[in-house]
């Protein structure tokens, strides 16, 4: 965030009390806050009782810092909570999923349909040898089979590891190997802006180096895709068509009885080293937190059509496309493609067609809509919307107000929700119907959550700026990093002993409102996607021309942050525009298009401290066109001035 953005954020004076009609009917009431005030364990236990348990828990929490166990001794199954328990009543024949593909194809699955498909998929997995505790990688576009596959894993106690469909073959390979997955579920393709992304072909590239994988299941997404070798290239004995397996599978499948602390999934996310972290989530606590936050933050019930626009490859898709809304018996809309395909009104035509009542999206998307102009939403009837949500990065007040006015028709409360892959569910958020919102502020902690602002010595601050920490364990918290508990302890619990450090800077105002300022570590947030600078740097230095690379974020109007890479070349290589393009393509190929640098700058040197550490802060100053900060600790202060001149020349 630039200083200018920070200033506008903090001078924000507008207040939006909850609309009266909304407040009267809202699921979250002030009684809820009072319950939570009586004790956080009792609060979560009360909420957990709303789930179906096969065996009740003995103890709510066992806390041996930094390891927590929630609902100790309790047994349940996540798929039963999302599906079976709705089948006995009026939800049986109600839409669970409404899906629209980018080309305009459509499917609706009722709760009954979804439950049947999940049981058949679960049997298909079993037939391929998947047992409780085995890992299954899911590398799919946004199609109903993605949801079915996740719940099928949950049904038999397999651990899913969903890999975003935009990741490269190498990213898939690394994640599959880290988790030692037995199965990859993919598709022949997925649609994005009219193009077909050849997922199976990428999976094949990955599978050349993933010895743990025994079978690959392929969803036929492309019409007539079967038999088209160039897209699916089925390997006899290893690869199987999804529809054939399911056609042959029984629809009877008893759910596995899972311990509350059995793994539900692993989800990889970027950190400050080159290697992504496998964030581990377990069953009972996670499900309790996502079901509870969905109910109160999105005020969600069976009559709603909920559209969370996130891909299931991210945690938002896990918690608020799949587990939270389905546990609440809501109707979930999923859309496969891009918001500007074929026209820039695609989102609004979806809202109108399906009568979406609650929309949850990211500030980067809202800023793009602002740029595209109000004519697109104005052309559609958005009057079914009653609540709007935002997630992924700080929302600037201008975008908040635009969202409120042009999408929410000034009648919908906005919930700006702060949380992370690691937290599992929403942590800081308004409660619609209770909270008076301020544009740009995520407002207050969710009931049962204890967040504290600390200074750099760990002292708790009542107001002002500092670091966002969590002072008590919460049910949806990550349990560890898969295969690397030491990294879990070091990353989250060592900076401020006894506290979880989120990696975010924040401010608490005089009225106790939280303002999240963004990451304070070497993690970027580009268009709501979390990217480690080290990952991109490692990809760059693998290119034969690159000697050294440093990646920094710079403020960007639409994406929040853009990525600038400073690169020094090996002898014998010349800086040229075509080499820039080559390096960008190289990073896309290594990691995925989301990690493609926006700018590349060639330089003979990089500014370093005397101990050899690259001073990213100075590079950020240069990339954002600011006067240079303190350069006294540099080994060679001349480097940075030369670099600044060069940067400005290359930019011109
Ligand atoms: C990081 C977590 C949680 C789902 C999406 C991202 C930033 C997230 C907000 C918000 C300001 C936010 C933080 C956080 N972030 N939501 N409402 N206001 N910043 O999950 O990839 O794990 O990234 O996203 O910096 O640490 P993630």
């Amino acid at each position: 965030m630039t200083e200018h953005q920070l200033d506008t954020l903090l001078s924000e004076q507008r207040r939006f009390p909850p609309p009266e009609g909304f407040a009267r009917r809202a699921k979250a009431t002030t009684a809820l806050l009072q319950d939570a005030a009586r004790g956080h364990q009792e609060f979560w236990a009360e909420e957990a009782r709303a789930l179906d348990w096969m065996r009740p828990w003995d103890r709510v929490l066992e806390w041996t810092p930094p390891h927590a166990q929630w609902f100790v001794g309790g047994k349940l199954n996540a798929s039963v909570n999302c599906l079976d328990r709705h089948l006995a009543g009026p939800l049986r024949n109600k839409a669970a999923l409404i899906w629209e593909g980018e080309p305009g194809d459509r499917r609706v699955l009722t709760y009954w349909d979804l439950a049947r498909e999940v049981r058949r998929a679960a049997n298909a997995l079993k037939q391929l040898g998947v047992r409780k505790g085995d890992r299954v990688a899911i590398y799919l576009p946004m199609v109903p089979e993605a949801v079915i596959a996740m719940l099928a894993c949950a049904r038999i106690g397999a651990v899913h590891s969903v890999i975003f469909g935009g990741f490269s073959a190498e990213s898939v390979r690394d994640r599959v190997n880290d988790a030692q997955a037995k199965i990859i579920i993919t598709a022949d393709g997925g649609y994005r802006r009219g193009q077909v992304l050849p997922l199976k072909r990428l999976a094949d590239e990955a599978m050349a180096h993933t010895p743990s994988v025994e079978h690959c299941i392929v969803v036929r997404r492309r019409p007539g895709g079967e038999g088209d070798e160039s897209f699916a290239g089925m390997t006899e004995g290893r690869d199987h068509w999804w529809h054939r397996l399911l056609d042959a599978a029984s629809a009877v499948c008893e759910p596995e009885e899972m311990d509350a602390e059995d793994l539900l999934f692993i989800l990889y996310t970027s950190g400050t080293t080159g290697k992504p972290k496998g964030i581990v989530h377990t069953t009972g606590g996670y499900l309790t937190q996502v079901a509870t936050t969905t109910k109160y933050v999105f005020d969600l019930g069976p009559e709603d059509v909920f559209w969370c626009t996130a891909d299931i490859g991210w945690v938002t898709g896990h918690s608020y496309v799949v587990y939270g809304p389905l546990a609440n018996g809501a109707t979930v809309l999923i859309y496969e493609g891009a918001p500007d395909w074929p026209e820039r009104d695609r989102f609004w035509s979806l809202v109108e067609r399906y009568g979406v009542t609650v929309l949850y999206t990211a500030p980067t998307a809202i800023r793009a809509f602002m740029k595209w102009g109000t004519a697109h939403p104005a052309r559609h009837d958005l009057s079914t919307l009653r609540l709007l949500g935002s997630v992924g990065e700080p929302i600037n007040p201008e975008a908040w107000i635009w969202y409120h006015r042009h999408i929410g028709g000034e009648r919908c409360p906005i919930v700006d929700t702060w949380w992370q892959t690691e937290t599992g569910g929403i942590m800081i958020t308004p409660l619609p119907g209770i909270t008076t919102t301020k544009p740009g502020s995520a407002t207050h902690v969710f009931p049962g959550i204890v967040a504290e602002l600390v200074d750099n010595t760990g002292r708790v601050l009542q107001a002002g700026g500092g670091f966002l920490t969590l002072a008590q364990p919460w049910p949806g918290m990550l349990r560890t990093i898969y295969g690397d508990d030491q990294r879990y302890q070091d990353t989250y619990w060592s900076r401020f002993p006894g506290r979880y450090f989120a990696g975010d800077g924040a401010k608490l105002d005089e009225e106790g409102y939280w303002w999240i300022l963004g990451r304070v570590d070497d993690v970027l947030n580009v268009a709501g996607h979390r990217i480690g600078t080290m990952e991109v740097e490692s990809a760059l230095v693998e290119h034969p021309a690159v000697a050294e690379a440093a990646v920094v974020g710079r403020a960007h109007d639409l994406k929040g942050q853009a990525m600038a890479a400073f690169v020094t070349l090996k002898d014998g290589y010349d800086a040229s525009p075509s080499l820039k393009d080559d390096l960008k393509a190289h990073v896309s190929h290594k990691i995925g298009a989301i990690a493609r640098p926006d700018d590349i700058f060639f330089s003979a040197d990089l500014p370093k401290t005397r101990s050899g550490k690259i001073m990213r802060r100075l590079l950020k100053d240069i990339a954002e066109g600011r006067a240079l900060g303190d350069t006294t600790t540099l080994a060679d202060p001349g480097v940075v001035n030369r670099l600044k001149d060069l940067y400005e020349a290359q930019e011109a």
Side-chain angles (χ1 to χ4, degrees):
M1 182 162 325
T2 64
E3 268 164 55
H4 170 72
Q5 285 170 317
L6 186 62
D7 288 344
T8 38
L9 199 62
L10 299 177
S11 62
E12 180 55 53
Q13 293 301 326
R14 284 166 286 195
R15 301 278 186 284
F16 292 82
E20 213 184 279
F22 198 105
R24 234 179 298 122
R25 285 187 297 268
K27 294 193 167 55
T29 61
T30 46
L32 184 78
L33 302 179
Q34 285 153 13
D35 286 351
R38 276 187 222 117
H40 91 301
Q41 287 193 37
E42 293 82 279
F43 170 80
W44 288 115
E46 183 57 32
E47 293 300 328
R49 274 182 214 111
L51 297 176
D52 260 16
W53 293 81
M54 294 160 163
R55 182 190 183 278
W57 58 87
D58 304 312
R59 281 180 311 288
V60 176
L61 172 66
E62 205 147 283
W63 179 222
T64 325
H67 294 108
Q69 294 182 59
W70 282 85
F71 310 114
V72 181
K75 308 273 184 201
L76 77 169
N77 182 287
S79 81
V80 168
N81 278 283
C82 292
L83 301 169
D84 305 51
R85 68 175 173 144
H86 304 317
L87 299 182
L91 300 185
R92 181 190 192 272
N93 301 315
K94 196 196 73 144
L97 291 185
I98 299 176
W99 172 77
E100 192 167 302
E102 195 187 69
D105 35 351
R106 303 186 176 109
R107 276 169 74 188
V108 177
L109 282 89
T110 63
Y111 271 93
W112 175 260
D113 293 330
L114 185 59
R116 181 192 62 237
E117 295 306 299
V118 165
R119 291 188 300 246
R120 292 165 76 209
N123 280 328
L125 288 172
K126 273 196 202 165
Q127 201 200 315
L128 294 179
V130 179
R131 297 288 170 262
K132 179 176 175 179
D134 288 344
R135 276 80 55 214
V136 172
I138 299 176
Y139 181 52
L140 282 174
M142 282 295 276
V143 289
E145 286 81 359
V147 179
I148 296 167
M150 290 165 76
L151 292 169
C153 289
R155 188 148 197 100
I156 62 173
V159 178
H160 58 71
S161 165
V162 181
I163 303 169
F164 172 57
F167 275 124
S168 68
E170 287 189 30
S171 295
V172 174
R173 177 198 68 195
D174 293 347
R175 285 161 175 75
V176 166
N177 285 337
D178 188 78
Q180 290 290 292
K182 246 183 166 171
I183 303 265
I184 298 183
I185 304 179
T186 187
D188 51 359
Y191 288 89
R192 185 82 188 174
R193 291 209 173 82
Q195 303 284 314
V196 179
L197 191 70
L199 291 170
K200 172 59 164 59
R201 239 189 267 162
L202 296 169
D204 277 337
E205 267 182 58
M207 281 188 286
H209 310 280
T210 55
S212 63
V213 173
E214 294 168 11
H215 294 283
C216 176
I217 305 178
V218 187
V219 172
R220 186 179 54 186
R221 171 71 191 100
R222 295 173 58 251
E226 189 166 0
D228 183 344
E229 281 296 305
S230 64
F231 268 89
M234 304 294 275
T235 297
E236 189 69 37
R238 185 195 68 184
D239 300 348
H240 314 267
W241 286 106
W242 167 282
H243 60 280
R244 296 225 186 126
L245 289 178
L246 263 69
D247 279 349
S250 153
V252 179
C253 178
E254 285 305 310
E256 191 73 34
E257 192 173 287
M258 302 298 286
D259 192 272
E261 283 299 329
D262 278 335
L263 268 61
L264 180 61
F265 65 87
I266 303 170
L267 182 60
Y268 287 83
T269 190
S270 295
T272 55
T273 74
K275 189 177 180 300
K277 304 176 280 196
I279 302 301
V280 169
H281 284 290
T282 57
T283 308
Y286 171 80
L287 203 62
T288 299
Q289 188 166 341
V290 299
T292 306
T293 49
T294 301
K295 179 163 73 187
Y296 296 125
V297 176
F298 300 116
D299 196 51
L300 215 60
E303 57 297 327
D304 281 301
V305 176
F306 182 54
W307 187 18
C308 164
T309 66
D311 192 281
I312 49 130
W314 312 114
V315 74
T316 311
H318 285 58
S319 302
Y320 300 108
V321 175
V322 183
Y323 291 108
L326 296 178
N328 281 283
T331 294
V332 172
L333 173 64
I334 51 180
Y335 166 60
E336 177 188 34
D340 54 352
W341 191 268
E343 299 292 337
R344 289 174 164 180
D345 67 344
R346 186 66 183 266
F347 269 32
W348 318 122
S349 89
L350 284 158
V351 168
E352 180 173 13
R353 168 178 289 271
Y354 300 108
V356 172
T357 59
V358 184
L359 174 69
Y360 189 33
T361 194
T364 186
I366 298 167
R367 289 191 296 263
F369 299 140
M370 278 173 79
K371 199 180 104 187
W372 297 343
T374 53
H376 298 295
R379 215 178 309 133
H380 294 276
D381 176 8
L382 306 180
S383 63
T384 52
L385 288 171
R386 61 185 194 90
L387 175 63
L388 302 174
S390 170
V391 63
E393 54 179 313
I395 179 165
N396 45 312
E398 296 87 329
W400 197 104
I401 295 290
W402 189 91
Y403 197 30
H404 175 69
R405 190 166 297 155
H406 298 289
I407 306 304
E410 296 186 346
R411 74 184 174 275
C412 304
I414 295 181
V415 289
D416 172 6
T417 62
W418 177 87
W419 59 294
Q420 308 180 296
T421 305
E422 291 87 341
T423 69
I426 292 169
M427 304 292 279
I428 303 182
T429 178
L431 290 173
I434 300 185
T435 312
T436 292
T437 51
K438 304 184 187 182
S441 167
T443 74
H444 306 301
V445 289
F446 187 79
I449 299 298
V450 186
E452 285 176 344
L453 187 75
V454 300
D455 68 12
N456 59 9
T457 67
R459 199 167 52 94
V460 176
L461 305 170
Q462 298 310 322
F467 302 102
L468 170 49
T469 69
L470 299 165
Q472 291 289 336
W474 63 101
M477 71 188 265
L478 78 165
R479 298 304 193 257
T480 187
I481 291 174
Y482 193 72
D484 196 349
D485 194 65
Q486 192 57 48
R487 187 173 177 197
Y488 163 72
Q489 303 194 27
D490 296 344
T491 307
Y492 303 107
W493 300 90
S494 69
R495 176 74 178 79
F496 302 108
R499 297 170 177 280
Y500 171 89
F501 174 42
D504 280 316
K507 202 178 148 96
L508 260 179
D509 72 16
E510 302 303 323
E511 294 171 310
Y513 279 67
W514 285 93
W515 300 78
I516 314 297
L517 303 177
R519 307 288 307 194
V520 295
D521 53 12
D522 293 329
V523 172
L524 305 183
N525 191 333
V526 178
H529 297 314
R530 179 162 158 183
I531 300 164
T533 53
M534 278 282 286
E535 273 174 84
V536 180
E537 288 164 10
S538 323
L540 282 168
V541 297
E542 279 177 50
H543 189 280
V546 176
E548 210 173 17
V551 169
V552 296
R554 64 167 171 84
H556 186 278
D557 283 351
L558 285 183
K559 303 203 271 188
Q561 280 190 305
M563 200 190 303
F566 292 79
V567 170
T568 65
L569 295 176
K570 287 186 188 149
D571 285 346
Y573 288 91
D574 288 328
S576 69
S578 74
L579 183 56
K580 277 191 192 182
D581 292 341
D582 202 36
L583 291 179
K584 289 182 187 178
H586 171 79
V587 175
S588 283
H589 177 75
K590 285 268 161 195
I591 305 176
I594 55 165
R596 182 186 169 94
D598 297 87
D599 324 312
I600 291 197
F601 296 97
F602 295 119
S603 153
D605 287 297
L606 292 174
K608 292 191 184 146
T609 61
R610 275 166 216 130
S611 60
K613 197 172 174 324
I614 295 173
M615 303 258 315
R616 287 203 177 70
R617 179 173 52 77
L618 294 176
L619 294 177
K620 201 172 154 69
D621 286 344
I622 295 174
E624 291 183 341
R626 267 194 304 277
L628 293 175
D630 185 8
T631 57
T632 49
T633 54
L634 283 173
D636 174 4
V639 169
V640 71
N641 283 314
R642 287 196 294 277
L643 193 59
K644 189 171 160 68
D645 293 344
L646 204 67
Y647 182 99
E648 280 155 12
Q650 286 187 32
E651 204 177 20

